[in-house]
Amino acid sequence: MKKDVNWLEMIQETALWIKNRVGGEMPKTAIILGTGLGELVTHIDIKESIPYKEIPNFPVSTVEGHSGRLIFGNLGSKYIMAMQGRFHYYEGYSMKQATFPVRVMKALGVKTLFVSNAAGGMNPEFKVGDLMIITDHINLFPDHPLRGVNYPELGPRFPAMNEAYSRRLIEKAREIARNENIRLMEGVYVGTQGPTFETPSEYRFFYRIGGDAVGMSTVPEVIVARHGGMEVFGMSVITDLGGEGIFVDVSHEEVQKAAALAEPIMSHVMQEIINQFEEL
Ligand code: HPA
């Protein structure tokens, strides 16, 4: 197989372009904001906001509800970067394209990645508008972002996934929720390709194999982040329910509406976690 050195160069080129554009020290923490969750940005004291279409080698986001900007600024006491809008596999990007921004984050020196998404809940305890700490995931995407030549510069050939989601960050989130009386659910996120929402039987299947929520993103990004040795924390907003005996219609608009309602709490929890660790 031909060595895709171009790809390594593309990562470096994009990282350098961003460094030059933004200037100064690069943040150690990055956040990827999912469907309807871009409002976290209003809590950021923005230093620089770059539309994806201006960034060399970046794919351009197409889906509704994603403004597609890379943001640098302060969230509480910490300097962070945030992706407002992400690249989904169902949009037609390859896995490598969809996860390219995570490679660039790593090249910029990001050590910790926070991910958020909207997800359908299968766990019968969940309600619409609940927040779920992602404790683990099940990867059901038909392609894998690490398939093909492995570059040791980026990470190991066979990365471990036993702690895909950082236990210490999960513990911190639990502590914050306990102290502030926030209803925070926990569970396993099933990543599927979409773009169809699930049939009732698929929801039931995903619950039976150990999933609590299902969505069309996050898993590829987390795999790439872990490949690169980043620490990861993830949260889902439960925007609709699908499970045994639950038959409800779900639409993109409803997903966005439910996400917007839960968003302030999610922002608060993420900001608290970031502010409570010196190194983030
Ligand atoms: N399934 C898949 N993705 C989703 C869902 C769902 O029910 N809700 C929000 N994103």
Side-chain angles (χ1 to χ4, degrees):
M1 201 185 275
K2 212 170 112 253
K3 255 198 134 193
D4 188 7
V5 272
N6 256 343
W7 187 55
L8 290 179
E9 280 168 13
M10 277 164 70
I11 296 167
Q12 289 309 324
E13 180 187 43
T14 305
L16 189 62
W17 184 91
I18 292 171
K19 258 188 213 169
N20 287 337
R21 164 84 180 244
V22 179
E25 281 278 302
M26 286 291 109
K28 294 195 180 59
T29 299
I31 309 179
I32 301 178
L33 300 167
T35 305
L37 299 167
E39 210 250 343
L40 182 134
V41 164
T42 60
H43 305 263
I44 301 174
D45 183 10
I46 297 176
K47 175 186 174 204
E48 189 80 45
S49 167
I50 317 169
Y52 292 157
K53 59 178 185 302
E54 290 181 20
I55 305 175
N57 306 322
F58 249 51
V60 173
S61 186
T62 59
V63 77
E64 252 177 89
H66 296 260
S67 337
R69 297 187 297 157
L70 193 61
I71 288 157
F72 290 80
N74 285 313
L75 182 66
S77 60
K78 295 287 171 63
Y79 184 50
I80 57 130
M81 67 187 277
M83 280 181 71
Q84 187 174 23
R86 55 152 60 89
F87 303 103
H88 299 88
Y89 183 68
Y90 64 73
E91 292 176 82
Y93 305 114
S94 71
M95 277 293 187
K96 273 192 175 162
Q97 287 173 321
T99 56
F100 181 77
V102 181
R103 293 293 185 199
V104 172
M105 287 171 182
K106 170 71 188 177
L108 287 172
V110 168
K111 300 229 171 341
T112 311
L113 178 65
F114 286 71
V115 286
S116 67
N117 58 58
M122 282 97 63
N123 186 320
E125 315 233 312
F126 292 1
K127 297 190 290 217
V128 168
D130 270 345
L131 283 170
M132 182 188 92
I133 302 171
I134 305 176
T135 55
D136 204 0
H137 72 222
I138 296 175
N139 178 17
L140 293 185
F141 280 88
D143 191 6
H144 199 288
L146 305 185
R147 190 176 119 91
V149 177
N150 185 65
Y151 299 101
E153 305 93 303
L154 300 181
R157 172 76 284 191
F158 300 108
M161 282 288 143
N162 59 313
E163 193 183 344
Y165 301 83
S166 163
R167 279 194 274 274
R168 70 174 190 140
L169 298 182
I170 291 171
E171 191 43 56
K172 180 58 77 182
R174 287 179 185 141
E175 184 189 309
I176 292 162
R178 258 195 319 270
N179 290 344
E180 303 187 30
N181 232 333
I182 296 170
R183 180 177 154 95
L184 262 196
M185 312 310 279
E186 294 186 11
V188 174
Y189 177 88
V190 178
T192 62
Q193 64 171 315
T196 42
F197 292 115
E198 284 63 36
T199 63
S201 304
E202 285 165 344
Y203 282 125
R204 194 171 59 220
F205 168 58
F206 293 154
Y207 184 58
R208 287 191 182 170
I209 63 169
D212 296 287
V214 55
M216 307 170 197
S217 67
T218 303
V219 167
E221 295 150 2
V222 172
I223 288 172
V224 166
R226 295 298 294 144
H227 183 238
M230 290 155 88
E231 194 176 12
V232 173
F233 178 81
M235 265 181 144
S236 294
V237 176
I238 306 302
T239 55
D240 55 279
L241 300 171
E244 205 87 55
I246 301 172
F247 298 97
V248 282
D249 282 341
V250 47
S251 70
H252 188 61
E253 291 67 36
E254 280 169 301
V255 165
Q256 285 185 297
K257 220 191 287 171
L261 288 177
E263 192 284 330
I265 310 168
M266 190 197 76
S267 300
H268 174 72
V269 173
M270 285 194 173
Q271 177 170 338
E272 276 300 304
I273 298 173
I274 294 168
N275 281 334
Q276 287 189 30
F277 287 99
E278 186 70 31
E279 68 277 21
L280 301 189

